[in-house]
Structures are given as structure tokens and as C-alpha cells.
Amino acid sequence: MQHLFFIVLGLTLLIAGGNWLLKSAVALSIRLNIPKIVIGMTVVSFATSAPELIVSINAALDGFPDLALGNVVGSNIANLGLVLAVTVLLGGIDVNKSFYTTDWPVMMLASLLFFGFIYFDGELQQYEGVVMVVVLFLFLVYLLRFQKPAVVDELPEDDLPLPLYKTVLFLGLGGLALWGGSELLVDGAVGLAKAYGVSERLIGVTVVSIGTSIPELAASIIAVIKKEKAISLGNLIGSNIFNILAVLGITTIITPIQVMDQGLLRNDIFWMLGISFLVLPLVFIPKGLRLGWRDGIVLVAVYLTFVYCTIT
């Protein structure tokens, strides 16, 4: 009963936090005259990746490396196969060339960098964590200086600047609610999963990853409802980049991570690379430079196949 209460309370906080975070992101983009895609890939992505960071650091320090790795790999799969799918099922997203010239390539580069670091020796060393964080820093510098909006933006009529104190308040409340909600959700979900004797890696790539992806889902659904699609797409791409370069990078700097369950290297990491690559052709097929409901169905089907292959 206690685990169920944690899950319900966690979900409530996550949805509220997503709304508050979106308000502050929009206000910041207006106040600083920054493209909303940039806000989505920095402020929102960092805040919604905070649960993964906290979970992965705690898991690694507590001696559960597969939970730390499975959390990130599973979250990246869920962000595209579940969150992006739901987002485009609710409303199509028009994309221009900067999506495939900058954002998607950086996501693939981060994924391949992670693959190269961990696949051959089954371990992430501290110097590899430093490389990841440096790559993230260089990307953010480039993003803030040169990036143009990657999505055709639809400004809602109530898109008005907030007073500075309200912007800071919403940002703080949103981040705090997302963090607290994710902690409660993960605690409850892991408690329920462990009651059934499920393995640490399986918990990481399914229950925990879905739980820590709910902030992205909440923020993206709210963004679509409010027609802030630039933030919803930027949030998801940015979150996957942050998950690898920031979450795993910072975690590895604190303590090296070694793979215990080889299923992560034989199965999960290839699903992550595959679904990350799949987004690019979906942008062009069947209609160029657009993600629509058909693409959402394909992504959901891929995600459900991944879950089925992982738990069977």
C-alpha cells in the first residue's frame, strides 16, 4: 500500500512540476530573446534529467551499477519510443534542417561515444566521464551561440512575459517537484518490482527508466497542449544527450561504473542505438520534415517490442 501511495503522489508531483517548468522556460526564452528550442535543450532538459542523475549517482555509490546504467539506457529508449511517440500522436511536429544538421547528429554522437567507451571493456572509467562532460559543455556553447529553432514554433496567445520572481519561483518549484516526484515514483515502483524478485538490470531498463522519463512525458504533453512544440522536441533530444553526457559523465567521474549483467551490452544498448537512429528516417517518411501519428505508431511498436524482448 505504501509503494502504491508513493507512485500516485510521485505522478502528481511530476505533472505539476512539468507545468511549472514549462512556464519558467517560456518566460526565460521571452525575457532573454533565446529561441525556445535552446531553452528546451538546456533548462528543461537539465531539470527533467535531474531524476536520472540522482538515481544513477545513488545507484552507483550504493553498489548497483546495472541500475545506474539501465536507468539511462532505458530512459533514452523510453524518451523516443514512448514519450516522443505520445507527443506526435497528440499532434504532428514540423521539422527544419537544423534538426538533422545539429540536434540529431549530436544525440547519435553521444550514443556512439557511450557505446565505444563501455562495449569493449564493460566499464566506464573516470577519464571517460570527463570526456563526456567536456563534449556536453562544447555542445552547449555551440547551441547557445549558433543554434536556430529546429521546429516550426506555434506561439500561444497567452505567451506573455512573467515577472522575474515568478519565473525563478516556477523554475525552482518545477525542478523540486520533478525531483521529489521522481524519487517517490522510483521508490514505489522499485519496491513493487523487488517484491516480485525482478533483476536489477530489468528494473533499471523498464520500471526505473519509465519512472524517470515521466518528467519528459509530462513536460512534452503539456508543451503540445499549449502548442509549445519547439520545447517538446528540444526537451526530448536534449534529455537524451544530457542522460548520456551529463548523467553518466558526472556519475562516472564520481565513481567508475562496471557492467554486471551482460544483457545490457548484448541487448539494451543496441536497442538504444537503433531507436535513436530510427528517428531520422521517420522525419522524412512518409512526409518530408515532419513527425506525425504514423511515426508515433512505429515508435510505440518498437518500444513495446523492446520491452517484450527484455522481460522474456
Side-chain angles (χ1 to χ4, degrees):
M1 190 66 187
Q2 182 186 9
H3 296 316
L4 189 61
F5 173 73
F6 281 173
I7 290 173
V8 173
L9 182 58
L11 284 170
T12 304
L13 283 172
L14 289 168
I15 293 169
N19 193 25
W20 291 330
L21 200 63
L22 186 66
K23 282 185 179 181
S24 65
V26 173
L28 277 173
S29 67
I30 295 171
R31 183 175 292 275
L32 301 177
N33 199 27
I34 294 175
K36 289 180 184 175
I37 189 74
V38 177
I39 294 293
M41 294 184 73
T42 53
V43 176
V44 178
S45 294
F46 190 78
T48 55
S49 289
E52 283 92 338
L53 178 60
I54 295 164
V55 169
S56 290
I57 289 175
N58 287 342
L61 289 174
D62 290 344
F64 302 109
D66 286 342
L67 189 58
L69 289 168
N71 170 40
V72 169
V73 172
S75 287
N76 278 20
I77 296 170
N79 279 348
L80 299 177
L82 183 63
V83 182
L84 179 59
V86 171
T87 302
V88 296
L89 283 170
L90 291 173
I93 298 176
D94 292 312
V95 184
N96 69 27
K97 69 175 185 177
S98 60
F99 167 78
Y100 62 82
T101 57
T102 304
D103 309 330
W104 181 85
V106 172
M107 181 176 68
M108 285 305 301
L109 173 66
S111 301
L112 290 169
L113 186 67
F114 167 53
F115 177 83
F117 281 160
I118 201 166
Y119 184 75
F120 300 101
D121 61 0
E123 188 173 4
L124 284 179
Q125 304 282 357
Q126 286 177 314
Y127 78 90
E128 292 170 333
V130 172
V131 172
M132 289 180 177
V133 172
V134 169
V135 171
L136 176 66
F137 176 76
L138 293 175
F139 169 61
L140 290 179
V141 169
Y142 170 79
L143 188 70
L144 291 169
R145 290 193 64 182
F146 304 111
Q147 177 71 301
K148 303 297 181 185
V151 178
V152 176
D153 185 32
E154 300 178 24
L155 282 173
E157 294 179 3
D158 62 347
D159 216 13
L160 301 173
L162 288 174
L164 184 58
Y165 79 92
K166 280 192 177 180
T167 302
V168 174
L169 180 65
F170 280 134
L171 187 62
L173 285 175
L176 190 63
L178 287 170
W179 173 78
S182 291
E183 284 284 294
L184 287 169
L185 181 67
V186 170
D187 284 348
V190 170
L192 285 177
K194 281 189 172 180
Y196 291 94
V198 179
S199 74
E200 175 190 323
R201 165 188 155 251
L202 193 59
I203 292 172
V205 297
T206 54
V207 178
V208 176
S209 67
I210 292 172
T212 54
S213 288
I214 283 182
E216 284 88 346
L217 181 61
S220 293
I221 289 175
I222 291 165
V224 168
I225 291 171
K226 295 192 173 184
K227 298 190 176 181
E228 296 292 343
K229 292 179 185 176
I231 289 181
S232 66
L233 184 61
N235 173 37
L236 294 175
I237 298 169
S239 185
N240 276 17
I241 295 169
F242 269 78
N243 281 348
I244 293 173
L245 299 180
V247 174
L248 286 181
I250 293 170
T251 302
T252 305
I253 289 171
I254 294 171
T255 177
I257 305 174
Q258 186 168 5
V259 176
M260 306 300 288
D261 187 335
Q262 293 301 309
L264 195 118
L265 298 180
R266 291 196 308 264
N267 181 68
D268 308 339
I269 199 167
F270 287 104
W271 279 99
M272 185 191 77
L273 289 172
I275 200 165
S276 296
F277 177 80
L278 179 63
V279 175
L280 185 66
L282 287 181
V283 165
F284 295 97
I285 302 169
K287 186 178 178 182
L289 295 177
R290 181 172 177 82
L291 286 170
W293 64 269
R294 293 180 185 87
D295 305 306
I297 292 173
V298 171
L299 289 169
V300 167
V302 170
Y303 184 71
L304 291 176
T305 306
F306 158 70
V307 172
Y308 176 78
C309 292
T310 302
I311 64 178
T312 54

PDB file of all heavy atoms in Angstrom, residues 273-302:
ATOM      1  N   LEU A 273      20.683   2.469 -29.515  1.00  0.00           N
ATOM      2  CA  LEU A 273      21.266   2.979 -30.755  1.00  0.00           C
ATOM      3  C   LEU A 273      20.264   2.890 -31.910  1.00  0.00           C
ATOM      4  O   LEU A 273      20.152   3.822 -32.718  1.00  0.00           O
ATOM      5  CB  LEU A 273      22.528   2.178 -31.107  1.00  0.00           C
ATOM      6  CG  LEU A 273      23.763   2.403 -30.233  1.00  0.00           C
ATOM      7  CD1 LEU A 273      24.850   1.400 -30.586  1.00  0.00           C
ATOM      8  CD2 LEU A 273      24.276   3.827 -30.370  1.00  0.00           C
ATOM      9  N   GLY A 274      19.541   1.781 -31.977  1.00  0.00           N
ATOM     10  CA  GLY A 274      18.594   1.578 -33.073  1.00  0.00           C
ATOM     11  C   GLY A 274      17.462   2.587 -33.085  1.00  0.00           C
ATOM     12  O   GLY A 274      17.147   3.175 -34.123  1.00  0.00           O
ATOM     13  N   ILE A 275      16.846   2.814 -31.932  1.00  0.00           N
ATOM     14  CA  ILE A 275      15.708   3.736 -31.892  1.00  0.00           C
ATOM     15  C   ILE A 275      16.173   5.180 -32.043  1.00  0.00           C
ATOM     16  O   ILE A 275      15.455   6.024 -32.591  1.00  0.00           O
ATOM     17  CB  ILE A 275      14.878   3.534 -30.609  1.00  0.00           C
ATOM     18  CG1 ILE A 275      13.462   4.105 -30.807  1.00  0.00           C
ATOM     19  CG2 ILE A 275      15.552   4.157 -29.386  1.00  0.00           C
ATOM     20  CD1 ILE A 275      12.463   3.653 -29.760  1.00  0.00           C
ATOM     21  N   SER A 276      17.406   5.480 -31.608  1.00  0.00           N
ATOM     22  CA  SER A 276      17.965   6.822 -31.810  1.00  0.00           C
ATOM     23  C   SER A 276      18.159   7.079 -33.301  1.00  0.00           C
ATOM     24  O   SER A 276      17.859   8.164 -33.803  1.00  0.00           O
ATOM     25  CB  SER A 276      19.304   6.968 -31.075  1.00  0.00           C
ATOM     26  OG  SER A 276      19.129   6.845 -29.681  1.00  0.00           O
ATOM     27  N   PHE A 277      18.654   6.067 -34.016  1.00  0.00           N
ATOM     28  CA  PHE A 277      18.848   6.222 -35.461  1.00  0.00           C
ATOM     29  C   PHE A 277      17.513   6.309 -36.197  1.00  0.00           C
ATOM     30  O   PHE A 277      17.364   7.070 -37.150  1.00  0.00           O
ATOM     31  CB  PHE A 277      19.663   5.042 -36.016  1.00  0.00           C
ATOM     32  CG  PHE A 277      19.839   5.092 -37.501  1.00  0.00           C
ATOM     33  CD1 PHE A 277      20.802   5.913 -38.069  1.00  0.00           C
ATOM     34  CD2 PHE A 277      19.014   4.352 -38.339  1.00  0.00           C
ATOM     35  CE1 PHE A 277      20.954   5.984 -39.453  1.00  0.00           C
ATOM     36  CE2 PHE A 277      19.156   4.418 -39.723  1.00  0.00           C
ATOM     37  CZ  PHE A 277      20.133   5.241 -40.284  1.00  0.00           C
ATOM     38  N   LEU A 278      16.530   5.541 -35.740  1.00  0.00           N
ATOM     39  CA  LEU A 278      15.232   5.438 -36.413  1.00  0.00           C
ATOM     40  C   LEU A 278      14.528   6.785 -36.546  1.00  0.00           C
ATOM     41  O   LEU A 278      13.777   7.007 -37.502  1.00  0.00           O
ATOM     42  CB  LEU A 278      14.342   4.458 -35.642  1.00  0.00           C
ATOM     43  CG  LEU A 278      12.929   4.218 -36.177  1.00  0.00           C
ATOM     44  CD1 LEU A 278      12.980   3.592 -37.569  1.00  0.00           C
ATOM     45  CD2 LEU A 278      12.152   3.331 -35.215  1.00  0.00           C
ATOM     46  N   VAL A 279      14.756   7.696 -35.596  1.00  0.00           N
ATOM     47  CA  VAL A 279      14.067   8.989 -35.620  1.00  0.00           C
ATOM     48  C   VAL A 279      14.358   9.753 -36.910  1.00  0.00           C
ATOM     49  O   VAL A 279      13.486  10.427 -37.456  1.00  0.00           O
ATOM     50  CB  VAL A 279      14.460   9.847 -34.396  1.00  0.00           C
ATOM     51  CG1 VAL A 279      13.836  11.235 -34.478  1.00  0.00           C
ATOM     52  CG2 VAL A 279      14.006   9.159 -33.115  1.00  0.00           C
ATOM     53  N   LEU A 280      15.586   9.646 -37.445  1.00  0.00           N
ATOM     54  CA  LEU A 280      15.959  10.407 -38.647  1.00  0.00           C
ATOM     55  C   LEU A 280      15.139  10.007 -39.872  1.00  0.00           C
ATOM     56  O   LEU A 280      14.513  10.877 -40.490  1.00  0.00           O
ATOM     57  CB  LEU A 280      17.452  10.269 -38.918  1.00  0.00           C
ATOM     58  CG  LEU A 280      17.957  11.124 -40.095  1.00  0.00           C
ATOM     59  CD1 LEU A 280      17.828  12.608 -39.770  1.00  0.00           C
ATOM     60  CD2 LEU A 280      19.398  10.787 -40.435  1.00  0.00           C
ATOM     61  N   PRO A 281      15.090   8.709 -40.252  1.00  0.00           N
ATOM     62  CA  PRO A 281      14.246   8.369 -41.410  1.00  0.00           C
ATOM     63  C   PRO A 281      12.766   8.652 -41.176  1.00  0.00           C
ATOM     64  O   PRO A 281      12.043   8.984 -42.125  1.00  0.00           O
ATOM     65  CB  PRO A 281      14.497   6.862 -41.615  1.00  0.00           C
ATOM     66  CG  PRO A 281      15.146   6.376 -40.368  1.00  0.00           C
ATOM     67  CD  PRO A 281      15.875   7.540 -39.794  1.00  0.00           C
ATOM     68  N   LEU A 282      12.307   8.542 -39.945  1.00  0.00           N
ATOM     69  CA  LEU A 282      10.895   8.838 -39.672  1.00  0.00           C
ATOM     70  C   LEU A 282      10.561  10.296 -39.952  1.00  0.00           C
ATOM     71  O   LEU A 282       9.425  10.626 -40.312  1.00  0.00           O
ATOM     72  CB  LEU A 282      10.544   8.500 -38.214  1.00  0.00           C
ATOM     73  CG  LEU A 282      10.449   7.014 -37.855  1.00  0.00           C
ATOM     74  CD1 LEU A 282      10.079   6.843 -36.384  1.00  0.00           C
ATOM     75  CD2 LEU A 282       9.444   6.283 -38.737  1.00  0.00           C
ATOM     76  N   VAL A 283      11.554  11.186 -39.788  1.00  0.00           N
ATOM     77  CA  VAL A 283      11.335  12.603 -40.074  1.00  0.00           C
ATOM     78  C   VAL A 283      11.049  12.815 -41.564  1.00  0.00           C
ATOM     79  O   VAL A 283      10.311  13.722 -41.943  1.00  0.00           O
ATOM     80  CB  VAL A 283      12.558  13.438 -39.629  1.00  0.00           C
ATOM     81  CG1 VAL A 283      12.525  14.844 -40.227  1.00  0.00           C
ATOM     82  CG2 VAL A 283      12.608  13.531 -38.104  1.00  0.00           C
ATOM     83  N   PHE A 284      11.603  11.951 -42.405  1.00  0.00           N
ATOM     84  CA  PHE A 284      11.453  12.118 -43.860  1.00  0.00           C
ATOM     85  C   PHE A 284      10.378  11.230 -44.475  1.00  0.00           C
ATOM     86  O   PHE A 284       9.954  11.469 -45.603  1.00  0.00           O
ATOM     87  CB  PHE A 284      12.786  11.832 -44.555  1.00  0.00           C
ATOM     88  CG  PHE A 284      13.860  12.816 -44.194  1.00  0.00           C
ATOM     89  CD1 PHE A 284      14.791  12.520 -43.210  1.00  0.00           C
ATOM     90  CD2 PHE A 284      13.926  14.048 -44.821  1.00  0.00           C
ATOM     91  CE1 PHE A 284      15.779  13.423 -42.869  1.00  0.00           C
ATOM     92  CE2 PHE A 284      14.912  14.961 -44.481  1.00  0.00           C
ATOM     93  CZ  PHE A 284      15.835  14.653 -43.511  1.00  0.00           C
ATOM     94  N   ILE A 285       9.955  10.173 -43.773  1.00  0.00           N
ATOM     95  CA  ILE A 285       8.983   9.223 -44.323  1.00  0.00           C
ATOM     96  C   ILE A 285       7.748   9.179 -43.431  1.00  0.00           C
ATOM     97  O   ILE A 285       7.886   9.076 -42.214  1.00  0.00           O
ATOM     98  CB  ILE A 285       9.608   7.803 -44.419  1.00  0.00           C
ATOM     99  CG1 ILE A 285      10.877   7.839 -45.283  1.00  0.00           C
ATOM    100  CG2 ILE A 285       8.605   6.804 -44.984  1.00  0.00           C
ATOM    101  CD1 ILE A 285      11.688   6.562 -45.223  1.00  0.00           C
ATOM    102  N   PRO A 286       6.533   9.198 -43.946  1.00  0.00           N
ATOM    103  CA  PRO A 286       6.169   9.274 -45.364  1.00  0.00           C
ATOM    104  C   PRO A 286       6.156  10.704 -45.910  1.00  0.00           C
ATOM    105  O   PRO A 286       6.125  10.899 -47.113  1.00  0.00           O
ATOM    106  CB  PRO A 286       4.751   8.686 -45.388  1.00  0.00           C
ATOM    107  CG  PRO A 286       4.186   9.060 -44.057  1.00  0.00           C
ATOM    108  CD  PRO A 286       5.344   9.025 -43.091  1.00  0.00           C
ATOM    109  N   LYS A 287       6.170  11.709 -45.027  1.00  0.00           N
ATOM    110  CA  LYS A 287       6.130  13.097 -45.480  1.00  0.00           C
ATOM    111  C   LYS A 287       7.384  13.801 -44.979  1.00  0.00           C
ATOM    112  O   LYS A 287       7.727  13.695 -43.808  1.00  0.00           O
ATOM    113  CB  LYS A 287       4.872  13.800 -44.924  1.00  0.00           C
ATOM    114  CG  LYS A 287       4.671  15.210 -45.452  1.00  0.00           C
ATOM    115  CD  LYS A 287       3.386  15.801 -44.899  1.00  0.00           C
ATOM    116  CE  LYS A 287       3.211  17.241 -45.387  1.00  0.00           C
ATOM    117  NZ  LYS A 287       2.000  17.860 -44.839  1.00  0.00           N
ATOM    118  N   GLY A 288       8.063  14.491 -45.857  1.00  0.00           N
ATOM    119  CA  GLY A 288       9.345  15.099 -45.524  1.00  0.00           C
ATOM    120  C   GLY A 288       9.289  16.104 -44.396  1.00  0.00           C
ATOM    121  O   GLY A 288       8.358  16.910 -44.310  1.00  0.00           O
ATOM    122  N   LEU A 289      10.290  16.049 -43.534  1.00  0.00           N
ATOM    123  CA  LEU A 289      10.490  17.015 -42.449  1.00  0.00           C
ATOM    124  C   LEU A 289       9.270  17.153 -41.544  1.00  0.00           C
ATOM    125  O   LEU A 289       8.863  18.256 -41.171  1.00  0.00           O
ATOM    126  CB  LEU A 289      10.894  18.380 -43.016  1.00  0.00           C
ATOM    127  CG  LEU A 289      12.243  18.410 -43.739  1.00  0.00           C
ATOM    128  CD1 LEU A 289      12.515  19.784 -44.318  1.00  0.00           C
ATOM    129  CD2 LEU A 289      13.365  17.988 -42.805  1.00  0.00           C
ATOM    130  N   ARG A 290       8.696  16.004 -41.190  1.00  0.00           N
ATOM    131  CA  ARG A 290       7.542  16.039 -40.288  1.00  0.00           C
ATOM    132  C   ARG A 290       7.433  14.713 -39.528  1.00  0.00           C
ATOM    133  O   ARG A 290       7.664  13.639 -40.087  1.00  0.00           O
ATOM    134  CB  ARG A 290       6.251  16.288 -41.062  1.00  0.00           C
ATOM    135  CG  ARG A 290       5.008  16.352 -40.169  1.00  0.00           C
ATOM    136  CD  ARG A 290       3.789  16.783 -40.950  1.00  0.00           C
ATOM    137  NE  ARG A 290       2.595  16.766 -40.108  1.00  0.00           N
ATOM    138  CZ  ARG A 290       2.250  17.747 -39.282  1.00  0.00           C
ATOM    139  NH1 ARG A 290       3.008  18.809 -39.169  1.00  0.00           N
ATOM    140  NH2 ARG A 290       1.144  17.664 -38.563  1.00  0.00           N
ATOM    141  N   LEU A 291       7.095  14.818 -38.249  1.00  0.00           N
ATOM    142  CA  LEU A 291       6.771  13.637 -37.461  1.00  0.00           C
ATOM    143  C   LEU A 291       5.268  13.657 -37.195  1.00  0.00           C
ATOM    144  O   LEU A 291       4.753  14.631 -36.639  1.00  0.00           O
ATOM    145  CB  LEU A 291       7.534  13.634 -36.133  1.00  0.00           C
ATOM    146  CG  LEU A 291       9.032  13.315 -36.200  1.00  0.00           C
ATOM    147  CD1 LEU A 291       9.691  13.587 -34.856  1.00  0.00           C
ATOM    148  CD2 LEU A 291       9.269  11.875 -36.627  1.00  0.00           C
ATOM    149  N   GLY A 292       4.569  12.604 -37.619  1.00  0.00           N
ATOM    150  CA  GLY A 292       3.118  12.551 -37.460  1.00  0.00           C
ATOM    151  C   GLY A 292       2.676  11.309 -36.714  1.00  0.00           C
ATOM    152  O   GLY A 292       3.494  10.558 -36.168  1.00  0.00           O
ATOM    153  N   TRP A 293       1.367  11.056 -36.745  1.00  0.00           N
ATOM    154  CA  TRP A 293       0.810   9.971 -35.938  1.00  0.00           C
ATOM    155  C   TRP A 293       1.296   8.598 -36.402  1.00  0.00           C
ATOM    156  O   TRP A 293       1.460   7.688 -35.595  1.00  0.00           O
ATOM    157  CB  TRP A 293      -0.717  10.029 -35.943  1.00  0.00           C
ATOM    158  CG  TRP A 293      -1.367   9.825 -37.279  1.00  0.00           C
ATOM    159  CD1 TRP A 293      -1.692  10.785 -38.190  1.00  0.00           C
ATOM    160  CD2 TRP A 293      -1.772   8.580 -37.857  1.00  0.00           C
ATOM    161  NE1 TRP A 293      -2.263  10.211 -39.307  1.00  0.00           N
ATOM    162  CE2 TRP A 293      -2.345   8.868 -39.122  1.00  0.00           C
ATOM    163  CE3 TRP A 293      -1.725   7.250 -37.425  1.00  0.00           C
ATOM    164  CZ2 TRP A 293      -2.845   7.880 -39.966  1.00  0.00           C
ATOM    165  CZ3 TRP A 293      -2.226   6.252 -38.269  1.00  0.00           C
ATOM    166  CH2 TRP A 293      -2.778   6.576 -39.516  1.00  0.00           C
ATOM    167  N   ARG A 294       1.577   8.450 -37.719  1.00  0.00           N
ATOM    168  CA  ARG A 294       2.101   7.156 -38.196  1.00  0.00           C
ATOM    169  C   ARG A 294       3.463   6.874 -37.578  1.00  0.00           C
ATOM    170  O   ARG A 294       3.772   5.737 -37.214  1.00  0.00           O
ATOM    171  CB  ARG A 294       2.205   7.168 -39.722  1.00  0.00           C
ATOM    172  CG  ARG A 294       0.861   7.220 -40.449  1.00  0.00           C
ATOM    173  CD  ARG A 294       1.070   7.229 -41.952  1.00  0.00           C
ATOM    174  NE  ARG A 294      -0.188   7.392 -42.671  1.00  0.00           N
ATOM    175  CZ  ARG A 294      -0.738   8.567 -42.958  1.00  0.00           C
ATOM    176  NH1 ARG A 294      -0.129   9.685 -42.578  1.00  0.00           N
ATOM    177  NH2 ARG A 294      -1.879   8.629 -43.615  1.00  0.00           N
ATOM    178  N   ASP A 295       4.281   7.920 -37.483  1.00  0.00           N
ATOM    179  CA  ASP A 295       5.595   7.764 -36.863  1.00  0.00           C
ATOM    180  C   ASP A 295       5.456   7.403 -35.386  1.00  0.00           C
ATOM    181  O   ASP A 295       6.245   6.624 -34.851  1.00  0.00           O
ATOM    182  CB  ASP A 295       6.401   9.064 -37.006  1.00  0.00           C
ATOM    183  CG  ASP A 295       6.519   9.506 -38.462  1.00  0.00           C
ATOM    184  OD1 ASP A 295       6.954   8.688 -39.279  1.00  0.00           O
ATOM    185  OD2 ASP A 295       6.163  10.657 -38.767  1.00  0.00           O
ATOM    186  N   GLY A 296       4.440   7.997 -34.739  1.00  0.00           N
ATOM    187  CA  GLY A 296       4.185   7.682 -33.340  1.00  0.00           C
ATOM    188  C   GLY A 296       3.841   6.210 -33.148  1.00  0.00           C
ATOM    189  O   GLY A 296       4.322   5.567 -32.203  1.00  0.00           O
ATOM    190  N   ILE A 297       3.047   5.662 -34.077  1.00  0.00           N
ATOM    191  CA  ILE A 297       2.679   4.248 -34.001  1.00  0.00           C
ATOM    192  C   ILE A 297       3.912   3.361 -34.168  1.00  0.00           C
ATOM    193  O   ILE A 297       4.096   2.368 -33.444  1.00  0.00           O
ATOM    194  CB  ILE A 297       1.609   3.907 -35.069  1.00  0.00           C
ATOM    195  CG1 ILE A 297       0.286   4.601 -34.709  1.00  0.00           C
ATOM    196  CG2 ILE A 297       1.420   2.395 -35.198  1.00  0.00           C
ATOM    197  CD1 ILE A 297      -0.781   4.480 -35.778  1.00  0.00           C
ATOM    198  N   VAL A 298       4.785   3.714 -35.119  1.00  0.00           N
ATOM    199  CA  VAL A 298       6.021   2.951 -35.339  1.00  0.00           C
ATOM    200  C   VAL A 298       6.885   2.958 -34.082  1.00  0.00           C
ATOM    201  O   VAL A 298       7.398   1.919 -33.643  1.00  0.00           O
ATOM    202  CB  VAL A 298       6.813   3.533 -36.535  1.00  0.00           C
ATOM    203  CG1 VAL A 298       8.200   2.879 -36.627  1.00  0.00           C
ATOM    204  CG2 VAL A 298       6.049   3.335 -37.833  1.00  0.00           C
ATOM    205  N   LEU A 299       7.050   4.138 -33.469  1.00  0.00           N
ATOM    206  CA  LEU A 299       7.895   4.265 -32.277  1.00  0.00           C
ATOM    207  C   LEU A 299       7.322   3.461 -31.102  1.00  0.00           C
ATOM    208  O   LEU A 299       8.069   2.796 -30.377  1.00  0.00           O
ATOM    209  CB  LEU A 299       8.041   5.742 -31.891  1.00  0.00           C
ATOM    210  CG  LEU A 299       8.913   6.587 -32.830  1.00  0.00           C
ATOM    211  CD1 LEU A 299       8.773   8.065 -32.504  1.00  0.00           C
ATOM    212  CD2 LEU A 299      10.377   6.164 -32.734  1.00  0.00           C
ATOM    213  N   VAL A 300       6.010   3.517 -30.919  1.00  0.00           N
ATOM    214  CA  VAL A 300       5.377   2.738 -29.847  1.00  0.00           C
ATOM    215  C   VAL A 300       5.575   1.241 -30.085  1.00  0.00           C
ATOM    216  O   VAL A 300       5.874   0.483 -29.156  1.00  0.00           O
ATOM    217  CB  VAL A 300       3.872   3.068 -29.740  1.00  0.00           C
ATOM    218  CG1 VAL A 300       3.166   2.056 -28.863  1.00  0.00           C
ATOM    219  CG2 VAL A 300       3.665   4.462 -29.164  1.00  0.00           C
ATOM    220  N   ALA A 301       5.417   0.811 -31.342  1.00  0.00           N
ATOM    221  CA  ALA A 301       5.589  -0.607 -31.674  1.00  0.00           C
ATOM    222  C   ALA A 301       7.021  -1.061 -31.366  1.00  0.00           C
ATOM    223  O   ALA A 301       7.235  -2.152 -30.814  1.00  0.00           O
ATOM    224  CB  ALA A 301       5.266  -0.845 -33.151  1.00  0.00           C
ATOM    225  N   VAL A 302       7.998  -0.220 -31.703  1.00  0.00           N
ATOM    226  CA  VAL A 302       9.401  -0.551 -31.423  1.00  0.00           C
ATOM    227  C   VAL A 302       9.625  -0.635 -29.913  1.00  0.00           C
ATOM    228  O   VAL A 302      10.294  -1.560 -29.420  1.00  0.00           O
ATOM    229  CB  VAL A 302      10.352   0.499 -32.047  1.00  0.00           C
ATOM    230  CG1 VAL A 302      11.785   0.294 -31.564  1.00  0.00           C
ATOM    231  CG2 VAL A 302      10.297   0.423 -33.571  1.00  0.00           C
TER     232      VAL A 302
END
